[in-house]
Amino acid sequence: FVVATVSGWLPTADEVRDWGDGLGWAGPLIFIPAAACGLCLFVPGPVLAGAAGLLFGTAVGTAVALAFIVLGAVMQMSISRYLAGDAAEQLLPQRIKRFDGFIAERGFWAVFYMRIAPAIPYNLVNYGAGLTRLKVSAMAAGTAIGAAPRSFAWVALGGNLDDLGSTEAKVAIALLVVMAVGGAFVAR
């Protein structure tokens, strides 16, 4: 992006789509782990999901986005769990320690609610989850289901970047608004 901007050559949305199509089945296989690593480096998820929509279209892009979001969440949790090791117990603040048993017992629902609540820094939550007894399977399942609606919306917006007045883009924007209002209600 920086090279394209500095050189003055910015590809059109159609050129980016053609490039993504040219990669064939290898495109998603390359994009998923690369985007998951991007999440670990705090690249914003909506930007990566939008890129998946632009490259692969809404249908394939949504599946790709969910795959890299789940993989990224599990990677972030695993990284902090590995780095903290046995010190995790001492790293957690006292008020979080009280919830550790709840999180371990009801992990799926804890992750699911975090995914639908608005304005949550998911990267920090994912890294923080590595300090708890949350199961990897609960993180993966809660993320996959909880992140699906918002992922679809960001992918649809990215896929329709050149036509934000399209029905698909309007549905995506409406879904983001509904998720924000509904998530705020659930969080409350």
Side-chain angles (χ1 to χ4, degrees):
F1 179 77
V2 171
V3 171
T5 302
V6 170
S7 70
W9 177 78
L10 285 175
T12 65
D14 287 333
E15 290 172 331
V16 172
R17 283 187 199 101
D18 290 343
W19 182 76
D21 289 341
L23 295 173
W25 59 268
L29 293 179
I30 295 167
F31 192 86
I32 290 168
C37 289
L39 289 176
C40 292
L41 298 172
F42 295 95
V43 175
V47 171
L48 294 170
L54 186 59
L55 283 169
F56 309 116
T58 303
V60 173
T62 299
V64 167
L66 276 175
F68 81 70
I69 288 168
V70 170
L71 178 61
V74 169
M75 285 171 59
Q76 290 169 327
M77 185 174 117
S78 299
I79 288 168
S80 67
R81 190 166 281 172
Y82 173 78
L83 292 176
D86 295 332
E89 183 69 26
Q90 287 110 12
L91 292 174
L92 285 177
Q94 191 59 37
R95 66 174 221 210
I96 301 296
K97 287 180 185 177
R98 291 183 292 205
F99 295 110
D100 191 28
F102 175 83
I103 291 170
E105 189 175 307
R106 295 177 185 88
F108 168 82
W109 291 107
V111 174
F112 176 76
Y113 289 139
M114 293 302 281
R115 295 295 179 219
I116 63 172
I120 299 290
Y122 301 117
N123 289 329
L124 297 178
V125 168
N126 298 339
Y127 279 116
L131 303 177
T132 69
R133 293 180 290 152
L134 178 68
K135 294 178 184 171
V136 172
S137 60
M139 172 62 97
T143 298
I145 295 171
R150 209 173 258 121
S151 297
F152 163 78
W154 291 119
V155 167
L157 285 174
N160 290 285
L161 200 55
D162 55 347
D163 185 16
L164 293 177
S166 70
T167 302
E168 196 170 285
K170 289 177 184 177
V171 167
I173 292 168
L175 181 59
L176 287 171
V177 170
V178 168
M179 288 291 297
V181 171
F185 177 74
V186 168
R188 181 165 220 152

